[in-house]
Protein backbone atom coordinates (compact mmCIF):
# COMPACT_ATOMS: atom_id res chain seq x y z
CA UNK A 1 0.00 0.00 0.00
CA UNK A 2 2.86 2.33 0.90
CA UNK A 3 4.56 1.60 -2.44
CA UNK A 4 1.31 2.31 -4.27
CA UNK A 5 0.93 5.67 -2.47
CA UNK A 6 4.54 6.56 -3.26
CA UNK A 7 4.06 5.68 -6.92
CA UNK A 8 0.84 7.69 -7.08
CA UNK A 9 2.60 10.67 -5.48
CA UNK A 10 5.43 10.55 -8.02
CA UNK A 11 2.99 10.28 -10.91
CA UNK A 12 0.79 13.14 -9.71
CA UNK A 13 3.60 15.52 -8.67
CA UNK A 14 4.36 16.83 -12.19
CA UNK A 15 0.67 17.45 -12.76
CA UNK A 16 0.43 19.34 -9.47
CA UNK A 17 3.42 21.50 -10.33
CA UNK A 18 2.07 22.30 -13.77
CA UNK A 19 -1.30 23.10 -12.29
CA UNK A 20 0.25 25.98 -10.33
CA UNK A 21 1.33 27.60 -13.58
CA UNK A 22 -1.71 28.20 -15.70
CA UNK A 23 -2.16 30.39 -18.74
CA UNK A 24 -5.93 30.40 -18.52
CA UNK A 25 -7.80 33.61 -17.83
CA UNK A 26 -8.44 34.28 -14.17
CA UNK A 27 -11.74 33.23 -12.66
CA UNK A 28 -14.52 35.77 -12.17
CA UNK A 29 -13.71 38.08 -9.28
CA UNK A 30 -16.32 38.90 -6.64
CA UNK A 31 -18.21 42.13 -7.39
CA UNK A 32 -17.41 43.52 -3.92
CA UNK A 33 -13.70 42.92 -4.46
CA UNK A 34 -13.92 44.75 -7.80
CA UNK A 35 -15.55 47.71 -6.08
CA UNK A 36 -12.87 47.82 -3.39
CA UNK A 37 -10.15 47.45 -6.02
CA UNK A 38 -11.61 50.36 -8.00
CA UNK A 39 -11.46 52.62 -4.94
CA UNK A 40 -7.82 51.68 -4.44
CA UNK A 41 -7.09 52.39 -8.10
CA UNK A 42 -8.66 55.85 -7.88
CA UNK A 43 -6.59 56.53 -4.74
CA UNK A 44 -3.50 55.35 -6.61
CA UNK A 45 -4.20 57.74 -9.50
CA UNK A 46 -4.48 60.70 -7.11
CA UNK A 47 -1.47 59.72 -4.98
CA UNK A 48 0.86 58.97 -7.89
CA UNK A 49 -0.23 62.08 -9.80
CA UNK A 50 0.49 64.37 -6.84
CA UNK A 51 3.80 62.66 -5.98
CA UNK A 52 5.01 62.81 -9.58
CA UNK A 53 4.06 66.46 -9.95
CA UNK A 54 5.82 67.39 -6.70
CA UNK A 55 8.93 65.35 -7.51
CA UNK A 56 9.47 66.70 -11.03
CA UNK A 57 8.61 70.28 -10.01
CA UNK A 58 10.86 70.65 -6.96
CA UNK A 59 14.19 70.95 -8.85
CA UNK A 60 12.73 73.14 -11.61
CA UNK A 61 11.24 75.54 -9.05
CA UNK A 62 14.32 75.34 -6.85
CA UNK A 63 15.80 78.67 -7.81
CA UNK A 64 12.65 80.57 -6.84
CA UNK A 65 11.03 78.59 -4.01
CA UNK A 66 13.67 76.16 -2.72
CA UNK A 67 17.12 77.72 -3.20
CA UNK A 68 18.80 74.63 -1.71
CA UNK A 69 17.56 72.61 -4.71
CA UNK A 70 19.12 74.97 -7.23
CA UNK A 71 21.53 73.11 -9.58
CA UNK A 72 24.44 75.21 -8.26
CA UNK A 73 23.98 74.05 -4.66
CA UNK A 74 25.62 71.02 -3.01
CA UNK A 75 22.28 69.73 -1.73
CA UNK A 76 21.06 69.45 -5.32
CA UNK A 77 23.83 66.93 -6.09
CA UNK A 78 22.95 64.92 -2.97
CA UNK A 79 19.24 64.75 -3.83
CA UNK A 80 20.02 63.96 -7.46
CA UNK A 81 22.30 61.08 -6.39
CA UNK A 82 19.48 59.67 -4.24
CA UNK A 83 17.06 59.94 -7.18
CA UNK A 84 19.62 58.30 -9.50
CA UNK A 85 19.87 55.42 -7.02
CA UNK A 86 16.09 55.05 -7.18
CA UNK A 87 16.18 55.00 -11.00
CA UNK A 88 19.08 52.52 -11.05
CA UNK A 89 17.28 50.15 -8.66
CA UNK A 90 14.11 50.53 -10.72
CA UNK A 91 15.97 49.26 -13.78
CA UNK A 92 17.87 46.43 -12.10
CA UNK A 93 15.47 45.26 -9.36
CA UNK A 94 11.99 46.04 -10.68
CA UNK A 95 11.83 46.35 -14.46
CA UNK A 96 14.47 43.90 -15.73
CA UNK A 97 13.36 40.92 -13.56
CA UNK A 98 9.77 41.50 -14.71
CA UNK A 99 10.99 41.44 -18.31
CA UNK A 100 12.75 38.10 -17.74
CA UNK A 101 9.58 36.69 -16.12
CA UNK A 102 7.43 37.86 -19.03
CA UNK A 103 9.66 36.62 -21.86
CA UNK A 104 10.50 33.29 -20.19
CA UNK A 105 6.91 32.55 -19.20
CA UNK A 106 5.69 28.98 -19.83
CA UNK A 107 2.68 30.61 -21.49
CA UNK A 108 4.92 31.48 -24.47
CA UNK A 109 6.16 29.02 -27.05
CA UNK A 110 9.44 27.40 -26.10
CA UNK A 111 10.76 28.21 -29.57
CA UNK A 112 12.03 30.90 -29.69
CA UNK A 113 11.22 32.49 -26.29
CA UNK A 114 12.52 29.68 -24.14
CA UNK A 115 15.71 29.13 -26.12
CA UNK A 116 17.28 32.58 -25.87
CA UNK A 117 17.52 35.27 -23.12
CA UNK A 118 15.61 37.91 -25.08
CA UNK A 119 15.11 40.16 -22.04
CA UNK A 120 18.82 40.62 -21.43
CA UNK A 121 19.51 40.96 -25.15
CA UNK A 122 16.88 43.66 -25.67
CA UNK A 123 18.08 45.54 -22.56
CA UNK A 124 21.65 45.45 -23.92
CA UNK A 125 20.56 46.67 -27.36
CA UNK A 126 18.51 49.47 -25.76
CA UNK A 127 21.49 50.56 -23.65
CA UNK A 128 23.79 50.54 -26.70
CA UNK A 129 21.17 52.40 -28.72
CA UNK A 130 20.89 55.03 -25.97
CA UNK A 131 24.68 55.37 -25.95
CA UNK A 132 24.69 55.91 -29.72
CA UNK A 133 21.92 58.52 -29.55
CA UNK A 134 23.71 60.24 -26.68
CA UNK A 135 27.03 60.19 -28.50
CA UNK A 136 25.76 61.37 -31.89
CA UNK A 137 23.58 64.09 -30.37
CA UNK A 138 26.46 65.43 -28.30
CA UNK A 139 28.84 65.20 -31.26
CA UNK A 140 26.41 67.17 -33.39
CA UNK A 141 25.91 69.86 -30.77
CA UNK A 142 29.65 70.03 -30.08
CA UNK A 143 30.45 70.58 -33.76
CA UNK A 144 27.72 73.18 -34.07
CA UNK A 145 28.96 74.93 -30.94
CA UNK A 146 32.52 75.01 -32.23
CA UNK A 147 31.32 76.49 -35.53
CA UNK A 148 29.26 79.11 -33.70
CA UNK A 149 32.14 79.95 -31.39
CA UNK A 150 34.56 80.36 -34.30
CA UNK A 151 32.13 82.51 -36.26
CA UNK A 152 30.59 84.64 -33.53
CA UNK A 153 32.72 84.13 -30.45
CA UNK A 154 29.86 82.54 -28.48
CA UNK A 155 30.85 80.58 -25.38
CA UNK A 156 30.95 76.79 -25.76
CA UNK A 157 29.09 76.45 -22.45
CA UNK A 158 26.00 76.04 -24.61
CA UNK A 159 27.28 72.56 -25.49
CA UNK A 160 26.81 71.44 -21.88
CA UNK A 161 23.35 72.99 -21.83
CA UNK A 162 22.35 71.07 -24.95
CA UNK A 163 23.77 67.88 -23.48
CA UNK A 164 21.56 68.22 -20.41
CA UNK A 165 18.59 68.71 -22.72
CA UNK A 166 19.37 65.50 -24.60
CA UNK A 167 19.82 63.63 -21.29
CA UNK A 168 16.50 64.82 -19.88
CA UNK A 169 14.55 63.90 -23.02
CA UNK A 170 16.06 60.41 -23.37
CA UNK A 171 15.60 59.77 -19.64
CA UNK A 172 11.95 60.81 -19.81
CA UNK A 173 11.42 58.43 -22.74
CA UNK A 174 12.70 55.49 -20.71
CA UNK A 175 10.62 56.49 -17.69
CA UNK A 176 7.42 56.92 -19.71
CA UNK A 177 7.73 53.48 -21.34
CA UNK A 178 7.84 51.56 -18.08
CA UNK A 179 5.38 53.92 -16.33
CA UNK A 180 2.66 53.10 -18.88
CA UNK A 181 3.20 49.36 -18.40
CA UNK A 182 3.16 49.67 -14.60
CA UNK A 183 -0.01 51.76 -14.76
CA UNK A 184 -1.86 49.34 -17.04
CA UNK A 185 -0.87 46.35 -14.89
CA UNK A 186 -2.11 48.07 -11.73
CA UNK A 187 -5.30 49.31 -13.37
CA UNK A 188 -6.16 45.91 -14.82
CA UNK A 189 -5.71 44.11 -11.50
CA UNK A 190 -8.91 43.20 -9.66
CA UNK A 191 -7.22 42.08 -6.44
CA UNK A 192 -7.23 44.71 -3.64
CA UNK A 193 -4.45 42.92 -1.74
CA UNK A 194 -2.22 43.31 -4.80
CA UNK A 195 -3.07 46.97 -5.38
CA UNK A 196 -2.83 48.19 -1.76
CA UNK A 197 0.95 47.83 -1.28
CA UNK A 198 1.58 49.12 -4.80
CA UNK A 199 0.10 52.51 -3.95
CA UNK A 200 2.80 53.41 -1.41
CA UNK A 201 5.59 51.80 -3.40
CA UNK A 202 4.71 53.55 -6.66
CA UNK A 203 4.14 56.88 -4.91
CA UNK A 204 7.65 56.74 -3.42
CA UNK A 205 9.04 55.62 -6.76
CA UNK A 206 7.27 58.39 -8.68
CA UNK A 207 8.36 61.10 -6.23
CA UNK A 208 12.09 60.41 -6.40
CA UNK A 209 12.16 59.36 -10.03
CA UNK A 210 10.50 62.70 -10.72
CA UNK A 211 13.21 64.49 -8.75
CA UNK A 212 15.88 62.81 -10.85
CA UNK A 213 14.17 63.83 -14.07
CA UNK A 214 13.40 67.29 -12.70
CA UNK A 215 17.07 67.78 -11.89
CA UNK A 216 18.02 67.09 -15.51
CA UNK A 217 15.27 69.39 -16.76
CA UNK A 218 16.49 72.15 -14.44
CA UNK A 219 20.06 71.78 -15.70
CA UNK A 220 18.78 71.91 -19.29
CA UNK A 221 17.30 75.39 -18.67
CA UNK A 222 14.28 74.81 -20.92
CA UNK A 223 11.72 77.53 -21.43
CA UNK A 224 8.64 77.52 -19.19
CA UNK A 225 6.34 75.90 -21.76
CA UNK A 226 8.74 73.00 -22.37
CA UNK A 227 9.27 72.47 -18.64
CA UNK A 228 5.50 72.39 -18.08
CA UNK A 229 5.00 69.97 -20.97
CA UNK A 230 7.72 67.56 -19.82
CA UNK A 231 6.52 67.72 -16.21
CA UNK A 232 2.92 67.06 -17.30
CA UNK A 233 3.95 64.08 -19.44
CA UNK A 234 5.85 62.53 -16.56
CA UNK A 235 3.15 63.21 -13.96
CA UNK A 236 0.26 61.94 -16.10
CA UNK A 237 1.80 58.84 -17.69
CA UNK A 238 1.28 56.37 -14.84
CA UNK A 239 -2.23 57.67 -13.93
CA UNK A 240 -3.24 57.44 -17.59
CA UNK A 241 -1.87 53.89 -17.67
CA UNK A 242 -3.98 53.06 -14.59
CA UNK A 243 -7.06 54.56 -16.26
CA UNK A 244 -6.44 52.46 -19.37
CA UNK A 245 -6.03 49.38 -17.17
CA UNK A 246 -9.35 50.12 -15.44
CA UNK A 247 -11.02 50.37 -18.85
CA UNK A 248 -9.71 47.00 -20.04
CA UNK A 249 -10.02 45.09 -16.75
CA UNK A 250 -12.66 42.70 -18.12
CA UNK A 251 -10.78 41.85 -21.32
CA UNK A 252 -7.14 42.13 -20.28
CA UNK A 253 -5.25 38.94 -19.51
CA UNK A 254 -1.70 39.34 -18.22
CA UNK A 255 -0.97 35.71 -19.14
CA UNK A 256 -1.90 36.05 -22.82
CA UNK A 257 1.06 35.65 -25.19
CA UNK A 258 0.49 39.08 -26.75
CA UNK A 259 0.47 40.86 -23.36
CA UNK A 260 3.54 38.96 -22.16
CA UNK A 261 5.57 39.73 -25.29
CA UNK A 262 4.61 43.42 -25.37
CA UNK A 263 5.27 43.89 -21.65
CA UNK A 264 8.50 41.91 -21.79
CA UNK A 265 9.93 43.76 -24.79
CA UNK A 266 9.04 47.22 -23.47
CA UNK A 267 10.23 46.41 -19.95
CA UNK A 268 13.52 45.10 -21.34
CA UNK A 269 14.11 48.19 -23.47
CA UNK A 270 13.08 50.47 -20.62
CA UNK A 271 15.45 48.80 -18.16
CA UNK A 272 18.37 49.16 -20.57
CA UNK A 273 17.63 52.87 -21.02
CA UNK A 274 17.19 53.50 -17.28
CA UNK A 275 20.35 51.63 -16.27
CA UNK A 276 22.46 53.44 -18.88
CA UNK A 277 21.02 56.86 -18.03
CA UNK A 278 21.41 56.36 -14.27
CA UNK A 279 25.02 55.17 -14.46
CA UNK A 280 26.38 57.31 -17.29
CA UNK A 281 24.38 60.51 -17.57
CA UNK A 282 23.21 61.01 -14.00
CA UNK A 283 25.87 59.48 -11.74
CA UNK A 284 29.10 59.51 -13.76
CA UNK A 285 28.52 63.05 -15.04
CA UNK A 286 28.00 64.43 -11.53
CA UNK A 287 30.44 62.22 -9.62
CA UNK A 288 33.26 63.06 -12.03
CA UNK A 289 32.50 66.79 -12.07
CA UNK A 290 35.04 69.19 -10.60
CA UNK A 291 32.49 70.34 -8.00
CA UNK A 292 32.13 66.86 -6.49
CA UNK A 293 35.74 65.80 -7.04
CA UNK A 294 37.04 68.91 -5.30
CA UNK A 295 34.91 68.50 -2.16
CA UNK A 296 35.43 65.28 -0.20
CA UNK A 297 32.42 65.95 2.05
CA UNK A 298 30.15 66.36 -0.95
CA UNK A 299 31.72 63.28 -2.54
CA UNK A 300 31.01 61.18 0.57
CA UNK A 301 27.48 62.60 0.88
CA UNK A 302 26.57 61.81 -2.72
CA UNK A 303 27.86 58.24 -2.38
CA UNK A 304 25.84 57.67 0.78
CA UNK A 305 22.79 59.26 -0.84
CA UNK A 306 23.16 56.99 -3.89
CA UNK A 307 23.30 53.88 -1.70
CA UNK A 308 20.28 54.98 0.32
CA UNK A 309 18.23 55.64 -2.82
CA UNK A 310 19.15 52.29 -4.37
CA UNK A 311 18.56 50.45 -1.07
CA UNK A 312 15.18 52.09 -0.48
CA UNK A 313 13.90 51.24 -3.95
CA UNK A 314 15.30 47.71 -3.71
CA UNK A 315 13.48 47.07 -0.44
CA UNK A 316 10.22 48.09 -2.10
CA UNK A 317 10.63 45.13 -4.47
CA UNK A 318 9.21 43.03 -1.61
CA UNK A 319 5.80 44.65 -2.19
CA UNK A 320 5.97 45.88 -5.78
Amino acid sequence: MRNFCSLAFLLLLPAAVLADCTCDAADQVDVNLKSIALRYKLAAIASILVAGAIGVSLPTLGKKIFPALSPEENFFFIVKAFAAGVILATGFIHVLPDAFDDLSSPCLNQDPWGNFPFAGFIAMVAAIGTLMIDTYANSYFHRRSNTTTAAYGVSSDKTHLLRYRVISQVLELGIIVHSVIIGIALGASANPSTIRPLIGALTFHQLFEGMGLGGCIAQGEFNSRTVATMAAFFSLTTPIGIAIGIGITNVYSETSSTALIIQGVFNSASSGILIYMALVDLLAADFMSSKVQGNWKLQASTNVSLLLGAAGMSILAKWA
Side-chain angles (χ1 to χ4, degrees):
M1 182 67 180
R2 180 179 298 177
N3 291 336
F4 173 79
C5 291
S6 299
L7 179 61
F9 174 79
L10 291 174
L11 291 174
L12 293 174
L13 180 60
V17 172
L18 290 174
D20 289 335
C21 180
T22 176
C23 299
D24 296 332
D27 295 334
Q28 291 294 323
V29 181
D30 184 82
V31 176
N32 290 332
L33 286 181
K34 283 188 175 182
S35 177
I36 296 171
L38 179 60
R39 290 200 291 269
Y40 280 133
K41 293 172 189 179
L42 296 177
I45 290 176
S47 176
I48 292 170
L49 177 61
V50 171
I54 292 174
V56 76
S57 299
L58 279 177
T60 56
L61 298 175
K63 292 181 179 179
K64 297 179 180 178
I65 302 175
F66 305 101
L69 287 174
S70 177
E72 294 81 20
E73 299 296 326
N74 289 348
F75 187 64
F76 174 83
F77 285 86
I78 295 172
V79 173
K80 191 177 174 186
F82 184 92
V86 170
I87 294 172
L88 187 63
T90 298
F92 272 120
I93 308 299
H94 292 259
V95 183
L96 189 57
D98 285 348
F100 273 103
D101 288 342
D102 290 337
L103 296 183
S104 61
S105 171
C107 300
L108 297 179
N109 292 330
Q110 179 68 17
D111 186 20
W113 302 105
N115 297 328
F116 187 78
F118 280 99
F121 176 75
I122 295 170
M124 177 188 71
V125 171
I128 294 173
T130 307
L131 169 66
M132 291 179 176
I133 293 172
D134 203 8
T135 302
Y136 284 122
N138 279 285
S139 175
Y140 168 75
F141 289 131
H142 183 69
R143 288 196 304 270
R144 194 174 74 171
S145 177
N146 286 341
T147 302
T148 304
T149 302
Y152 304 104
V154 178
S155 172
S156 61
D157 288 344
K158 188 158 181 141
T159 303
H160 297 289
L161 186 64
L162 292 170
R163 172 169 170 74
Y164 284 125
R165 292 182 177 182
V166 172
I167 289 172
S168 60
Q169 290 168 344
V170 176
L171 177 60
E172 181 157 31
L173 174 63
I175 291 173
I176 284 176
V177 169
H178 86 85
S179 293
V180 170
I181 294 173
I182 290 172
I184 291 175
L186 190 153
S189 175
N191 189 345
S193 62
T194 299
I195 300 170
R196 193 184 305 116
L198 283 175
I199 297 175
L202 292 180
T203 299
F204 174 88
H205 167 268
Q206 198 80 349
L207 175 66
F208 287 101
E209 197 170 57
M211 292 182 73
L213 176 62
C216 293
I217 294 174
Q219 289 176 306
E221 297 182 10
F222 292 95
N223 60 51
S224 298
R225 180 179 295 180
T226 304
V227 170
T229 301
M230 295 181 72
F233 263 107
F234 170 78
S235 303
L236 292 171
T237 302
T238 303
I240 288 174
I242 296 173
I244 294 172
I246 293 173
I248 63 174
T249 299
N250 295 326
V251 296
Y252 176 81
S253 173
E254 62 182 9
T255 58
S256 71
S257 59
T258 301
L260 287 169
I261 292 171
I262 292 174
Q263 290 178 17
V265 169
F266 278 100
N267 274 332
S268 300
S270 177
S271 68
I273 294 172
L274 293 177
I275 291 168
Y276 171 85
M277 296 300 295
L279 288 174
V280 178
D281 286 333
L282 296 182
L283 293 173
D286 285 351
F287 279 41
M288 296 300 175
S289 67
S290 56
K291 186 177 183 67
V292 175
Q293 290 288 310
N295 186 336
W296 70 268
K297 289 184 179 179
L298 179 59
Q299 192 171 25
S301 298
T302 51
N303 277 281
V304 171
S305 184
L306 166 64
L307 293 174
L308 289 175
M313 198 61 203
S314 298
I315 291 171
L316 288 180
K318 181 178 179 181
W319 299 281

